[in-house]
Every structure is written in structure tokens, then in C-alpha cells.
Amino acid sequence: METISKPPLIWINIIIFSFSLGLATIVAPLYGWQFGYGMAHWLWLVICFSFCNLSITAGYHRLWSHKAYEAHWTLRLLFALGGAFALQNSALHWSSDHRVHHKHVDNNDKDPYSAKRGFWFSHIGWMLRHYNKTTYDDYSNCRDLQKDKIVMWQHKYYVPLALAINLGVPLLLGFIYHDILGMLLIVGALRLVLNHHTTFFINSLAHIWGSQPYTDKNTARDNGILAFFTFGEGYHNYHHVFENDYRNGIYWWQYDPTKWLIKLCAWLGLAHKLRVSPPFRVEKAKALMALSHAQKQIAALPNQQLVMASIQREFDTLVIQLQEYYELKKQLIESKKSTMIRRYEHSLLVLRYLQVKHQLALQKSNWQLIVRQYS
């Protein structure tokens, strides 16, 4: 029987993951039991954990990997430092891997952390062996990022930056609060483990656990619970369809602090050109998924052709009304900006918009009643 050889182990990663996990789960609790931790330890744990994760989600992911917005150099510098603090490789390397993931999602031969290879592999296993050694120096899919001086500076000096920040910040806090070892354990080790695994959940759990309201063509899922631990990245099914949107949680009630941070930075003049997916495309994608689910249920009915024809007509009507509604809404917004348009023309447009909005609401209600029968 032929034995399939595995790629060589990446010992530096194994040592970092194992050593930090041991410190966080064994040494930190023992030290706390013996000497205790103060409010400062937990406060700085939250601050540093949040800074690191937001640097990954708002910086590495939405800014650099997907170009969902543009940022001032001061914001990019903060994200570069936070990314080194999070110890997840340089922004250039991270973005290159992530763009390959989106291009070849779930392809076991091309997706660097394909979820179809199992939870362990997509969560951390892909970083423990040289599965992608041939691509380590190939950043041809990130030529745009190679023009960013901050990205290239961080990439060039990533190792000294990562060492300086990961040791320097806990040591400085330890000196200030007179507990160097305690800060090294909490802000150093425990914070790093939390940063690593909450971020890794996006590659693993976010492709296993949750719903698929926008597409079932890949394994990505939407999960509000996961969004809480990943700073909004848990709305992953949406993200894999509309990857260039600066939001993952598109509704006001969806927990997405990364979205709120980017919007706040835009108000402060630190971010601009925020990209948003057209609402028509978003609603159409959801309707298509509802149609697909209904068709699967209808397939077992004796009068399936008649029912399918009926639900298809309802879907087509919904799409037409959605398109008309959003086109009118766009015209209405543009008319408000125009000083040339006559008042009565604007009033007619408002009346037509309200009429179409009412018709769309009725059609949506009818559509929901129909698809619920077969969900």
C-alpha cells in the first residue's frame, strides 16, 4: 500500500502556537491563583485584543484584501502595527492567501485553508505544514498592495516589528503596573491565543456553522453568535457573495463593530470611498436562495410543474418590482441634488416612488407567504 507523504512541518508556527497556548491555559491560571490579577490586567487585555482583531478585520481583511474602502496613512500605519501585534504574518502575505481563498473557495487543491478538508485543517492545520510553500514568495495577486509603502515597510520589517510589539507592550504595561510577569501572561500570551483562534474561526467555524441566506455555492455561513467573537466577520455567507462591501453585517441590528469603526473613520476623514453592494443585487440574491429552497421542496409534490410555474412567476414579478423600486429611489435621490428639476416633476417622482414602494411591500409579503409553505 502506497504511503502518502505529508509536507514538512513548520516548526516555528508549531512552537508559537503551542508555547502561547501553554502559557495561556496552564501558567496564566496558576499565576492568577497564586498572585491574582487586577482590573488593569483585564482592561488592557480587552484593549489590546480589540486593537489586534480590528487591525485584522478592518485592515488586513476589508481594507487590504478586498479594497472595500481607502484609508489615510495614519490609519494604515495603525493597522500595520496591530497586525504585527496579532502575529498573523504581514498584511501582504495575509492578503495574498485570502485572495486565493476567495478565488478558489472550497477547492482542496487551491484554497489554502479549504473548509472541505475539515475543521482542524481550515482552523490551524494549514499553518502547521508547508502545504503552500510554492506560493510563499508569490505576491503577484497583490500588485496593488505592493504600491502601498506602509504595507511594504511592514512586510520587510515584519519579524522585528512583531517581536518588539508582542514583548514591548506587555513589558511596558508590566513596568507601569508593577507586574511584568502578569502582564506578559495576560496581555502577551492570553491575548495572543484569543486573537489567533477568534480570527481562525472565520476560516473554520464560519464555513461550518450557520445559515446560507445568499448562496449555497460555497460552504460560507452567516452566524450572529460567531460575529460577536469575530468583530462582525461572522456574516460570512454575505461576505463570500459581496466581498468588496465594507460591511459584513448589512442591517443596523447586526453586530459588526468593524463596519462601525470604518464608518466612524469616514466621519473623521480617515477613510473614504466606502464600497457598498447594490441593494437590488443583495435582495435578489436572498430571493434566489428562497426560490432554490422552495423548488427543492416542490420537487416531491405530484403537481410540481404547476406549483413551480406559479412560484417562478411570483419570483419574476418580485425581481421586476425590486428593480423598479431601486431605480426610482436612485432617481429620487438624484432629483434632490438637482437645482434644475421642477418642483412638480419632483412631486410626481415622489408619488410614483411611494406607489412602487407599496406594491413592492405587498409583493414581498406574498413572496414570503409562498416560500414559507415550502421551507
Side-chain angles (χ1 to χ4, degrees), residues 51 117 119 147 196 214 237 243 309 333:
F51 172 54
R117 296 185 68 170
F119 173 84
K147 297 175 184 177
H196 277 165
Y214 300 97
N237 188 254
E243 63 184 56
I333 293 169

Side-chain angles (χ1 to χ4, degrees), residues 83-279:
F85 198 8
L87 209 62
Q88 292 189 32
N89 218 314
S90 72
L92 181 67
H93 190 102
W94 198 102
S95 299
S96 179
D97 275 346
H98 193 70
R99 288 181 181 184
V100 174
H101 165 66
H102 269 265
K103 186 176 181 179
H104 302 289
V105 61
D106 296 333
N107 184 322
N108 288 352
D109 297 322
K110 295 181 179 180
D111 184 348
Y113 32 88
S114 173
K116 288 194 172 179
R117 296 185 68 170
F119 173 84
W120 173 257
F121 179 87
S122 60
H123 187 74
I124 196 172
W126 70 280
M127 291 178 284
L128 303 182
R129 292 183 179 274
H130 286 287
Y131 291 102
N132 307 296
K133 191 172 184 179
T134 57
T135 65
Y136 286 171
D137 298 317
D138 179 15
Y139 303 116
S140 57
N141 63 345
C142 291
R143 289 193 177 95
D144 56 319
L145 300 186
Q146 293 178 49
K147 297 175 184 177
D148 188 324
K149 292 181 180 179
I150 290 175
V151 168
M152 296 312 294
W153 168 77
Q154 190 231 31
H155 181 71
K156 183 178 181 180
Y157 299 106
Y158 173 75
V159 173
L161 275 173
L163 288 171
I165 299 173
N166 276 276
L167 291 175
V169 171
L171 285 173
L172 177 62
L173 291 172
F175 178 77
I176 293 171
Y177 293 100
H178 310 291
D179 185 8
I180 290 175
L181 186 54
M183 284 296 183
L184 281 170
L185 289 170
I186 298 300
V187 179
L190 179 58
R191 185 269 318 160
L192 183 61
V193 169
L194 291 174
N195 280 143
H196 277 165
H197 291 282
T198 51
T199 306
F200 299 167
F201 281 156
I202 301 163
N203 300 334
S204 55
L205 278 183
H207 283 263
I208 297 171
W209 179 30
S211 61
Q212 293 184 301
Y214 300 97
T215 184
D216 58 1
K217 290 182 171 60
N218 58 64
T219 56
R221 301 293 201 272
D222 272 10
N223 189 310
I225 296 173
L226 199 55
F228 178 79
F229 294 102
T230 60
F231 289 74
E233 300 287 90
Y235 301 109
H236 210 53
N237 188 254
Y238 176 85
H239 174 65
H240 264 272
V241 181
F242 306 103
E243 63 184 56
N244 300 121
D245 198 321
Y246 86 94
R247 312 158 303 168
N248 275 12
I250 61 172
Y251 302 110
W252 67 267
W253 47 267
Q254 290 180 315
Y255 184 80
D256 187 358
T258 302
K259 167 188 68 179
W260 302 331
L261 173 66
I262 295 169
K263 192 66 176 178
L264 174 63
C265 289
W267 289 338
L268 296 173
L270 297 174
H272 55 283
K273 295 185 180 179
L274 277 58
R275 299 172 69 178
V276 175
S277 301

Side-chain angles (χ1 to χ4, degrees), residues 280 284 287 314-324:
F280 168 71
K284 185 179 178 182
E314 290 292 331
F315 172 78
D316 293 339
T317 302
L318 176 66
V319 170
I320 291 169
Q321 292 195 354
L322 278 170
Q323 191 165 15
E324 186 178 10

